[in-house]
Amino acid sequence: MNYCSQCGQPVTLKIPVDDNRERFVCDHCGYVHYQNPNNVCGALLTLGDRILLCKRAIEPRYGLWTLPAGFMENNETVAEAAAREAMEEANAQAGPLSLFGIFSMPYISQVYLMFHGKLASEKVWAGPESLDVGMFTREQIPWDELAFPVVTHSLELFYEHGTDRVHHAWFSRGPDRSVKLHSID
Ligand SMILES: [Zn+2]
């Protein structure tokens, strides 16, 4: 951040009075620009033994497969966000959604809230952010062409541990950029 969104003047990274970490503070009006993690909401949607995946038409990870997921918008619930992403990316009508997992990614300051549920209709087709969408059995999933570690880990948890309890984990990223899952409970 270089300029204040309140008054347009330059900002400086410094620790505000009565705070304990650096923030962007406006040199002119004093406004403190707090930056906090973003919520990403996504869904594992199934129909029988098949699960919905979307082939990304946007960067990052163009052309790779993902679970429908995206940044939460203002004025919506987490489940609404997950259902909206499924609709936007795959024109997929989600049935009732249950919480599947909460995954913290401190290295990118994101929190993923993944849901699971059934597709209300078999009819799915690519939205503007997808090149293609498809329903995959576990064996058909393109495991080597998944877009993000959180997608791979979510699918592994889904198939290996099911949906009886909410998965709680955090991810670390090593110097070689490999991402590791740490289950919390
Ligand atoms: Zn300002």
Side-chain angles (χ1 to χ4, degrees), residues 3-11 25-31 33:
Y3 297 100
C4 177
S5 61
Q6 302 293 305
C7 74
Q9 297 297 307
V11 295
V25 181
C26 179
D27 300 329
H28 179 70
C29 75
Y31 189 84
H33 297 266

Side-chain angles (χ1 to χ4, degrees), residues 17-139:
V17 178
D18 296 329
D19 204 338
N20 55 17
R21 61 183 73 203
E22 289 186 320
R23 317 281 183 188
F24 288 107
V25 181
C26 179
D27 300 329
H28 179 70
C29 75
Y31 189 84
V32 181
H33 297 266
Y34 294 99
Q35 294 181 316
N36 301 99
N38 286 311
N39 290 337
V40 181
C41 300
L44 299 98
L45 297 175
T46 56
L47 199 65
D49 64 348
R50 295 181 299 154
I51 194 160
L52 174 68
L53 294 178
C54 306
K55 193 173 195 177
R56 290 173 63 81
I58 51 173
E59 295 291 351
R61 306 283 193 266
Y62 178 97
L64 297 180
W65 292 90
T66 187
L67 292 163
F71 290 113
M72 195 176 178
E73 300 285 2
N74 291 337
N75 307 124
E76 68 182 356
T77 68
V78 285
E80 285 169 349
R84 175 182 53 72
E85 291 292 340
M87 179 57 70
E88 287 178 2
E89 296 181 14
N91 292 284
Q93 185 69 54
L97 293 175
S98 302
L99 187 58
F100 172 76
I102 300 179
F103 308 121
S104 293
M105 291 171 210
Y107 57 93
I108 46 173
S109 295
Q110 291 182 0
V111 178
Y112 267 72
L113 297 112
M114 299 299 290
F115 289 80
H116 70 93
K118 290 187 171 30
L119 274 175
S121 164
E122 193 165 3
K123 285 186 190 157
V124 292
W125 67 97
E129 295 178 8
S130 303
L131 296 170
D132 193 8
V133 299
M135 301 295 301
F136 296 83
T137 65
R138 183 178 185 175
E139 292 71 30

Side-chain angles (χ1 to χ4, degrees), residues 44 51-54 56 64-69 100 103 105 112 114 141-143 145-159 171:
L44 299 98
I51 194 160
L52 174 68
L53 294 178
C54 306
R56 290 173 63 81
L64 297 180
W65 292 90
T66 187
L67 292 163
F100 172 76
F103 308 121
M105 291 171 210
Y112 267 72
M114 299 299 290
I141 288 173
W143 291 100
E145 297 170 46
L146 296 177
F148 304 107
V150 65
V151 173
T152 306
H153 284 302
S154 293
L155 289 167
E156 286 173 354
L157 288 170
F158 180 74
Y159 287 116
F171 291 179

